[in-house]
Amino acid sequence: MRFDVITLFPEVFRILSAYGVSGRAVARGLVEIHLWNPRDFTQDPHRTVDDRPYGGGPGMVMKVEPLRAAIAAVRAAAPHSRVAYLSPQGRLLDQAAMVEIAQQPGWVLLAGRYEGVDERLIEHHVDEEWSIGDYVLSGGELPAMVVMDAVIRLLPGALGHDQSAQLDSYMDGLLDCPHYTRPEETAEGRVPEVLLSGDHAAIARWRLRQALLRTWQRRPDLIKRRGLSERERALLEAALEASIQAHPEEGPVEYRSKP
Ligand code: 4FV
């Protein structure tokens, strides 16, 4: 996988190539990260990349010319890559989208600043527009890093053992089950017995049951979108029943962010 990032702040991307899963993936050549600064594609002595918005209003807008030249240079260096602009107006990304993105050989990520980018640049030189969430950030750098982190961990060989990406939250459209580690007992309580049993079938069933219950309680929209198999429906009903038995005073299991 190859990422080319067009950004006014290339230095911030060091965090991806220097640390953790993404740092190891870069070191092992599973992914290449190339950084391009639009200022290097300006013609004027002030290296101007932005100007005031036509029609008035606050802030500044990124100019077409430096970005057009930068994209042309990147496309020449990475002819198989598609160009994606990160903005709140884009397609809202989720795990399924990250799996799709990871199938491509490469992406050019355009990280905007100021109020955004001149619309003509988006219309004529951008293939896709993506959003990481319905809120406004001060730049596209963090969204670009979010996409890169989420995609790099899906690359074969990026995680300790490939199997773990499959177990990730959302990979099966459900929230993740609770996790525990040593010691078995702390002041906060004891690890659920089933996890100490060594009975892998029972452990897998418990984890699915917990994931179903949590998703039902915290993100019923995901259950609606995904639907449930007969087995999952039975597991969820049993979990809901047990939860009502365990918290009779709380009545039917309504939405709650913490169990
Ligand atoms: C954003 C988002 C985002 C908007 C103007 C950068 C900012 C500023 N990008 N998902 N949410 N971008 O807020 O992707 O230039």
Side-chain angles (χ1 to χ4, degrees), residues 209-210 213 235-248 253:
R209 192 173 139 130
Q210 290 299 318
L213 184 59
L235 270 175
L236 176 56
E237 270 151 19
L240 289 169
E241 208 38 57
S243 181
I244 291 167
Q245 303 311 332
H247 312 276
V253 177

Side-chain angles (χ1 to χ4, degrees), residues 62 85-90 92 111-117 130-141 143-144:
M62 294 186 81
Y85 171 49
L86 286 304
S87 95
Q89 284 69 49
L92 190 54
R113 278 272 153 178
Y114 314 108
E115 300 312 305
V117 167
W130 298 337
S131 171
I132 64 163
D134 298 338
Y135 36 78
V136 180
L137 303 166
S138 52
E141 282 74 18

Side-chain angles (χ1 to χ4, degrees), residues 199-218:
D199 176 342
H200 297 298
I203 290 168
R205 198 170 39 253
W206 180 86
R207 285 176 169 161
L208 176 55
R209 192 173 139 130
Q210 290 299 318
L212 288 164
L213 184 59
R214 286 176 149 208
T215 309
W216 170 266
Q217 290 169 330
R218 304 180 190 190

Side-chain angles (χ1 to χ4, degrees), residues 144-199:
M145 284 196 265
V146 164
V147 171
M148 293 163 80
D149 188 282
V151 166
I152 289 170
R153 61 185 286 106
L154 294 171
L155 300 176
L159 292 179
H161 43 80
D162 282 348
Q163 196 246 349
S164 48
Q166 294 323 309
L167 285 179
D168 264 355
S169 309
Y170 296 116
M171 281 308 274
D172 59 358
L174 295 174
L175 297 185
D176 207 0
C177 62
H179 297 289
Y180 299 84
T181 188
R182 287 159 193 69
E184 282 177 22
E185 187 99 29
T186 67
E188 294 75 11
R190 195 169 163 67
V191 170
E193 288 311 320
V194 63
L195 297 179
L196 308 171
S197 69
D199 176 342

Side-chain angles (χ1 to χ4, degrees), residues 5-40:
V5 186
I6 297 175
T7 169
L8 292 172
F9 301 108
E11 61 279 8
V12 301
F13 287 83
R14 248 187 55 64
I15 192 175
L16 273 177
S17 43
Y19 301 97
V21 169
S22 55
R24 276 196 303 280
V26 169
R28 290 158 61 190
L30 298 177
V31 61
E32 288 174 38
I33 299 176
H34 302 266
L35 305 167
W36 308 74
N37 189 329
R39 286 200 193 284
D40 300 335

